Amino acid sequence: MRTMMNAHLIDTFTKLALLASVSACATTPPSDPARPGASVATLPPDLDPQSQGLASAPKPKVRETQRERITPDDEFRQQRPAPAPDPEFTIPKVIRFKLANGLPVILAKDSDLPLVYVQLVVRTGALADPTGKAGLADLTADMLDEGTAQRSALQISAEIEQLGASLGTGADWDHSTVSVSGLTEVMDRALPVWADVILNPAFAEDELARVRENRMAGFQRRKDSPPALADIAFGRAVYGAKHPLGWPQNGTEETLPTLSVAELRAFHKANFQPNNAVLVVAGDMDEAGVRKLIEPLLKGWKGRAQKPRPVPTAKPLAKSRIFLVNKAQAPQSSIRMGLPALPRKHPDYYKARVMNEILGGSFRRLSLNLREQKGWTYGVYSRFSTHQVPGPWQIKGEFVADKTADSVKELLSEIEKLRTEDVPQGELQEAKDALTRAFPAYFSTMRQVAGQMAALVLYNLPNNELESFQKKVAAVTAKDVRDMARKYLLPQKLAIVVVGDQASNQEPLSKIADVELRDIDGKPIKP
């Protein structure tokens, strides 16, 4: 009873305080509909006299001395200030040398902070997965820190955590990595754990079973994600079942159970070799430190990597086709649209980047049309995914369900416009500025610096490639943009993936291009 009475008193006092606060606010001038930004204080429903069937409370008088404050409309507000000059930016200086076992080293020394980032980059990734073994490279990298001949997974985690350091492993399409970072003073204790993970992974059966089980659960969850299903279906539609880019990088429910400990060990032995890797060090460590702390740990690491298997050549579709994955009664549709494009080392790379920025960069043509003007999507963009082999160019976005077919038409219209019309000089300059002025941000952290340096090796780029980025972008012309659009954006040969409600979308989509039904794994559905 006491608890209920106290609660009632507290509630009463709260309402009285709120009434007093509202009354005080009501002494300000009432809002004028003709003046934007003004507001009227209103009572919450449980305190409003009218909502309780009571007579309206008398309005308080407004003091005549009160006046609304207005910010003077000074002349300097009439014109936008000119932008300041771009700050000078220089690429971090690096030195290159080799360890005694032949492992190349790229060192970017920076002693501003007592931090070090060390990464081994192996030049083999998911593009090397054999047919029917999707996820092999990714699973191998994931298992490296799940126990070694000397340390269990828990011991590895505990040692690194006690030092306040970080250790990570992973794989991408073009490479696999093992990295460690932390304070300069702890690297002498963190690096031996890092080297043990690289050289002596156990690939224990029980650990593999646990990791596999976690991954299989993740595969089940992604079935409920239309964007994830669209990405899977897009890869299969563009590259087919016999190309590595046609499979999910981390594998499928069919391939993952077939990956054995023996296959993981064989992949590691064949590819984790000094002649197939590069060591990237960024931060508070010099060459003497590398030779003192790292070289002794890797001195016994010798061998030659196997030649990578050739990757099949991918070609665009002979005719544009829509691949429809049914997600019954979905409130929005996930749309992917694209085709195979170019590798990173292609001479068209910079021209194509500028062209794509105009079409599908942040708040560029696609976004301004379908988001800002039509309100059919929260966000849409396009990009080139460049690898050692030709990666895809694609458009990605999530769209209102009843505007699915209309959205596809608008995307195709924007592509055609870029192919046939010259880009205004102002729009071209904005796109180039967006790329060149954002470029310094790619070097904000030690990890980013290491990634930029590693890319030079992964894609066999010249050592001065990063220094020439801004100059090459600035040299792109309006004619280059139109030429790139005509060369790489082929509206007659696009793979168009839609994950959405089949019942409402199949007929209107069929008026745009032939529709082929696919299941949630991106596989064709047989009639």
Side-chain angles (χ1 to χ4, degrees), residues 46 79 254 259 409 440 445:
D46 60 335
Q79 191 170 6
E254 291 78 19
L259 302 178
K409 292 177 183 178
T445 67

Side-chain angles (χ1 to χ4, degrees), residues 469-527:
F469 179 94
Q470 292 171 307
K471 184 181 296 184
K472 290 180 178 178
V473 168
V476 176
T477 66
K479 181 179 182 301
D480 293 332
V481 170
R482 188 179 60 218
D483 290 345
M484 292 298 99
R486 290 177 175 177
K487 184 174 182 179
Y488 293 106
L489 311 188
L490 308 177
Q492 305 85 6
K493 298 185 177 183
L494 291 173
I496 304 170
V497 171
V498 176
V499 178
D501 182 59
Q502 177 183 341
S504 59
N505 286 318
Q506 184 170 359
E507 182 179 354
L509 287 173
S510 65
K511 298 177 182 179
I512 301 173
D514 292 340
V515 176
E516 180 179 320
L517 300 182
R518 294 286 176 109
D519 64 17
I520 59 175
D521 294 318
K523 299 176 183 177
I525 296 177
K526 297 180 180 180

Side-chain angles (χ1 to χ4, degrees), residues 111-131:
S111 298
D112 288 347
L113 295 173
L115 299 171
V116 180
Y117 182 85
V118 178
Q119 184 177 63
L120 180 79
V121 182
V122 176
R123 289 181 282 192
T124 305
L127 286 175
D129 288 351
T131 301

Side-chain angles (χ1 to χ4, degrees), residues 226-247:
L229 298 180
D231 291 337
I232 293 172
F234 179 78
R236 183 66 63 90
V238 173
Y239 287 96
K242 295 184 178 180
H243 194 289
L245 290 173
W247 319 319

Side-chain angles (χ1 to χ4, degrees), residues 156-228:
I156 293 172
S157 177
E159 286 190 52
I160 293 297
E161 184 177 349
Q162 288 172 0
L163 297 173
S166 297
L167 187 145
T169 65
D172 205 332
W173 292 108
D174 299 301
H175 64 280
S176 304
T177 61
V178 185
S179 61
V180 64
S181 61
L183 292 170
T184 308
E185 63 186 33
V186 306
M187 294 307 289
D188 60 335
R189 287 161 285 168
L191 283 167
V193 182
W194 166 82
D196 191 27
V197 166
I198 294 171
L199 303 178
N200 308 303
F203 297 116
E205 289 280 3
D206 56 339
E207 296 292 350
L208 176 58
R210 177 179 57 81
V211 172
R212 183 188 287 122
E213 183 179 355
N214 290 339
R215 288 198 170 204
M216 293 295 283
F219 293 164
Q220 289 295 321
R221 289 193 299 271
R222 75 184 180 190
K223 291 181 178 180
D224 294 325
S225 171

Side-chain angles (χ1 to χ4, degrees), residues 324-464:
L324 179 58
V325 179
N326 184 31
K327 197 69 174 174
Q329 298 180 345
Q332 64 181 23
S333 297
S334 297
I335 298 178
R336 306 291 184 265
M337 179 184 298
L339 69 171
L342 73 170
R344 171 60 183 89
K345 198 176 180 180
H346 198 284
D348 287 344
Y349 174 76
Y350 292 96
K351 298 176 184 178
R353 278 283 301 270
V354 174
M355 179 271 293
N356 179 77
E357 176 67 21
I358 292 170
L359 179 67
S362 179
F363 286 94
R364 301 296 175 190
R365 290 189 176 188
L366 295 182
S367 183
L368 291 176
N369 180 353
L370 288 109
R371 169 180 164 143
E372 298 302 301
Q373 295 179 16
K374 295 183 171 59
W376 295 350
T377 178
Y378 182 77
V380 56
Y381 67 93
S382 64
R383 62 174 296 188
F384 284 95
S385 297
T386 54
H387 305 293
Q388 294 169 355
V389 300
W393 172 82
Q394 66 172 315
I395 294 175
K396 301 180 68 170
E398 318 300 315
F399 299 83
V400 177
D402 61 358
K403 297 296 182 182
T404 300
D406 292 333
S407 296
V408 171
K409 292 177 183 178
E410 285 298 323
L411 295 174
L412 294 172
S413 174
E414 291 292 348
I415 290 173
E416 192 60 36
K417 187 183 300 183
L418 193 61
R419 286 168 48 88
T420 57
E421 299 177 6
D422 284 336
V423 176
Q425 190 61 36
E427 185 181 14
L428 173 62
Q429 190 60 49
E430 284 184 3
K432 293 194 292 186
D433 288 345
L435 293 174
T436 57
R437 291 176 179 173
F439 184 64
Y442 300 156
F443 300 85
S444 299
T445 67
M446 292 184 299
R447 181 172 183 172
Q448 288 176 307
V449 171
Q452 293 295 329
M453 301 307 168
L456 300 178
V457 177
L458 287 173
Y459 304 116
N460 297 314
L461 300 172
N463 290 341
N464 66 344

